[in-house]
Amino acid sequence: MPVLAIKLAYRNLVGAGLRTWLNVSVLSFAFVVIIFHNGLIDGWNQQARRDTIAWEYGFGHLLNKAYDPYDPFSLQDGHGILQTKMRQRLIPVLIQQGTLYPGGRMVPVLLKGIETDQEILKLPTKLFLKTDADIPALIGKRMARALKLKKGDRVLLRWRDKNATFDAANITIIGIFNNNVPTVDNGQIWIPIEKLWEMTGLSGHATLFIATNDYVHVPIPGWHFKDHDTLLAVLDNMIAMKKVGGSIIYFLLLALALLAIFDTQVLSVFRRQREIGTYIALGMTRLQVVALFSMEGAMNSLLATLVGSLYGIPLLFYFAKIGIGMPATADDMGISIAERIFPVYGAGLILGTIALVVISATIVSFLPAKKIAKMDPADALKGKIQ
Amino acid sequence: MKIISVENVVKCFPVGDGKFTALDHISLDFFTGEFAGLVGPSGSGKTTLLNIIGSLDKPSKGKAQVAGKDIEALTHKQAAQLRNHSIGFIFQVFNLLPVYTVFENVEFALLLQKKPWHERKKAVMDALEWVGLENMADKKISKLSGGESQRVAIARAMVKRPRIMLADEPSANLDAKNTHSIMETMKTLNQEFKTTFLFSTHDEKVMQYLDRIIHLEDGKVVKDEIITSRKEDF
């Protein structure tokens, strides 16, 4: 029966003409939008992971046990010294609090000391080697925009040393780096770690170490290591939440398309009663007729997949190539987001979407078709509404 | 050889709080190769009896045996098999499938029988030749006249070479010329293949071709007359 149902369903759909193509158009649009939206989110996810690793996480973080990245109060004591032999393949970062006074305003900042010759993060720390400024500082584009600072500006910084004594001096902005990772940018000032050690008296101290690619972690008392999966879990969760939010739109679209199929099927069961009666008179069982109608719904979705492929593949390929420009305000979302996001369409996404559309279309076709099983064929032949 | 046997069949339909008796203790036998008709006014029970014989409905009481099968005992699947293999239907409004071509309409029953393509093609073209439509195989149903449509319906019913053909008011939507034409076609098929034809009609033009006329009134047989020299065959 499946082969026969497919053959007959195909004939019926092609024969139904405009009605079929309307359903197919709406469904194919939903199909393309679902793939595009998920591809965009996946592309964003991949870009965010890539950029966050390149700008912030390196190959993992070795954190002082007293330091909690989500608790600013832990900065006071969350640092320590690691023996030289344990520091192999690790880049130290010391984080302290400070206050910046740009244009007479008072802005709390995080002072981050980092090695000038590190190459593991994309931060342009090599610039520190080319300046003779007393306290050279690097800031990100968001920080520069927020504080209206530009390269060459000198601005007063106040900090507290290890004895809790406040000190202040002018820092010089020697570079503004362009990046997609707000967590290395917003409210942060990067300075050479040797200078920060000197300013705070915390010589040799680090709040965390960034692992290089050949780092092999062995447990170190007082420190704990976070690998990529742990560090990126927050980012993954945030993107997953965005995905759920966006899903509402395409589920609405899919629901509209399915409603169109459901409506067509309900109408068909009433309008095509004489045809149903004829099928039965010609020797089809009721279940075969139900299967035929369900198959018509499923084929609607398969046709939608074909039609969607015709215009969707070039369209999606085009967007994957040129990317989607993100508005300037997207910078303020707090998640790593590039100026252009390049959608990524995986096999899982495409096959999953096809399965979703086909299965849901079959189910909504089957529901009204079930009514056929209860029809009296003699009345159906007369076209009597039952 | 007896091919249809109806014994004390009663068929009632619920109407409001009561019931309507469409067939009232009908007993009839039909033999292989008969060209018979049920005649009577609207509501006399012609179509109801045809539906029971066609296994589209079951009697409320009594027994109906068709091609050796007890209609009241058949499951949905068994009834479908009986219709698919042994019974052909011709309807008043043709009941052709509008999205199919002439060929596809006729082919339908053979698809259900899972016949291979070359067998189907030959059988369909033969059936279209019987009804004189061999040149219209690729036409859409919407392009056919009433007479042509009923010929396609006859070809569709005959293509599987059923033992019984049930025709419910086959001339109701045809003019006199087309009525004579399709009746002559059916008579030829009846003689050639010894298929039993059972009509439901109140059309005089159809009646003049019948060998046996059973008059129904209010669900009862009021007269059963054998018309032609075929009497001795029964």
Side-chain angles (χ1 to χ4, degrees), chain A residues 324-343:
Chain A
I324 305 288
M326 288 290 117
T329 48
D331 259 2
D332 303 328
M333 287 170 72
I335 314 178
S336 169
I337 188 160
E339 285 171 3
R340 296 196 82 76
I341 291 181
F342 295 87

Side-chain angles (χ1 to χ4, degrees), chain A residues 11-12 274 278 280 286 381, chain B residues 76 83 93 95 100 107:
Chain A
R11 282 183 187 176
N12 286 348
R274 199 186 294 275
T278 306
I280 293 172
R286 294 173 191 197
L381 272 170
Chain B
H76 284 311
R83 287 192 295 270
V93 286
N95 284 32
Y100 294 178
E107 186 196 13

Side-chain angles (χ1 to χ4, degrees), chain B residues 1-232:
Chain B
M1 185 186 165
K2 199 192 286 182
I3 192 159
I4 300 166
S5 171
V6 175
E7 203 179 314
N8 264 325
V9 161
V10 175
K11 180 69 187 177
C12 304
F13 294 106
V15 178
D17 292 336
K19 61 179 183 180
F20 167 71
T21 305
L23 297 176
D24 190 1
H25 296 91
I26 298 265
S27 292
L28 286 167
D29 290 330
F30 296 94
F31 297 85
T32 300
E34 265 196 82
F35 202 74
L38 303 169
V39 173
S42 294
S44 59
K46 306 185 294 288
T47 302
T48 305
L49 184 56
L50 276 194
N51 285 340
I52 289 173
I53 292 170
S55 73
L56 292 169
D57 209 346
K58 288 188 176 183
S60 309
K61 276 185 206 165
K63 277 182 75 177
Q65 203 175 55
V66 176
K69 311 276 182 196
D70 285 327
I71 295 295
E72 60 278 10
L74 294 178
T75 62
H76 284 311
K77 201 172 173 183
Q78 288 166 334
Q81 273 179 340
L82 175 67
R83 287 192 295 270
N84 186 217
H85 287 93
S86 305
I87 304 172
F89 288 90
I90 296 168
F91 305 100
Q92 182 178 336
V93 286
F94 323 131
N95 284 32
L96 297 173
L97 302 167
V99 298
Y100 294 178
T101 62
V102 167
F103 184 95
E104 289 165 346
N105 263 281
V106 179
E107 186 196 13
F108 192 91
L110 302 179
L111 277 173
L112 293 179
Q113 290 180 353
K114 298 185 176 118
K115 290 253 164 59
W117 163 244
H118 63 275
E119 264 185 53
R120 292 204 308 268
K121 192 179 175 192
K122 186 178 180 317
V124 171
M125 291 317 292
D126 284 349
L128 288 175
E129 204 179 320
W130 299 335
V131 296
L133 293 177
E134 62 271 31
N135 297 324
M136 300 183 111
D138 295 329
K139 277 209 167 178
K140 281 275 180 193
I141 296 304
S142 55
K143 306 283 179 203
L144 303 181
S145 68
E148 288 166 340
S149 295
Q150 197 58 298
R151 283 173 179 280
V152 176
I154 294 168
R156 181 178 66 180
M158 280 303 293
V159 72
K160 59 190 178 187
R161 304 283 292 275
R163 297 169 69 187
I164 301 160
M165 282 280 276
L166 303 175
D168 188 6
E169 307 275 10
S171 62
N173 285 295
L174 300 179
D175 57 22
K177 188 179 162 200
N178 274 310
T179 300
H180 286 299
S181 171
I182 63 145
M183 286 311 292
E184 272 159 22
T185 303
M186 286 194 272
K187 188 86 186 171
T188 308
L189 291 170
N190 162 253
Q191 284 164 357
E192 195 170 331
F193 300 120
K194 299 284 175 243
T195 306
T196 306
F197 275 74
L198 183 56
F199 294 83
S200 142
T201 188
H202 48 244
D203 185 344
E204 292 287 340
K205 299 188 287 300
V206 172
M207 285 182 221
Q208 69 188 66
Y209 287 88
L210 301 176
D211 300 334
R212 179 183 173 193
I213 298 176
I214 297 127
H215 296 265
L216 293 181
E217 216 170 283
D218 297 332
K220 289 179 182 159
V221 176
V222 291
K223 193 172 166 192
D224 185 353
E225 53 178 338
I226 291 169
I227 310 291
T228 69
S229 57
R230 288 177 59 77
K231 283 175 195 170
E232 61 270 20

Side-chain angles (χ1 to χ4, degrees), chain A residues 32-77:
Chain A
V32 171
V33 167
I34 289 171
I35 291 181
F36 173 72
H37 180 266
N38 278 307
L40 190 67
I41 299 277
D42 288 347
W44 177 16
N45 194 3
Q46 286 189 14
Q47 164 266 317
R49 290 176 74 95
R50 214 169 34 237
D51 286 350
T52 309
I53 288 167
W55 284 89
E56 188 178 12
Y57 292 152
F59 290 85
H61 279 181
L62 183 68
L63 300 154
N64 187 282
K65 271 207 166 144
Y67 169 61
D68 175 358
Y70 302 107
D71 178 12
F73 292 104
S74 69
L75 286 170
Q76 180 76 22
D77 302 315

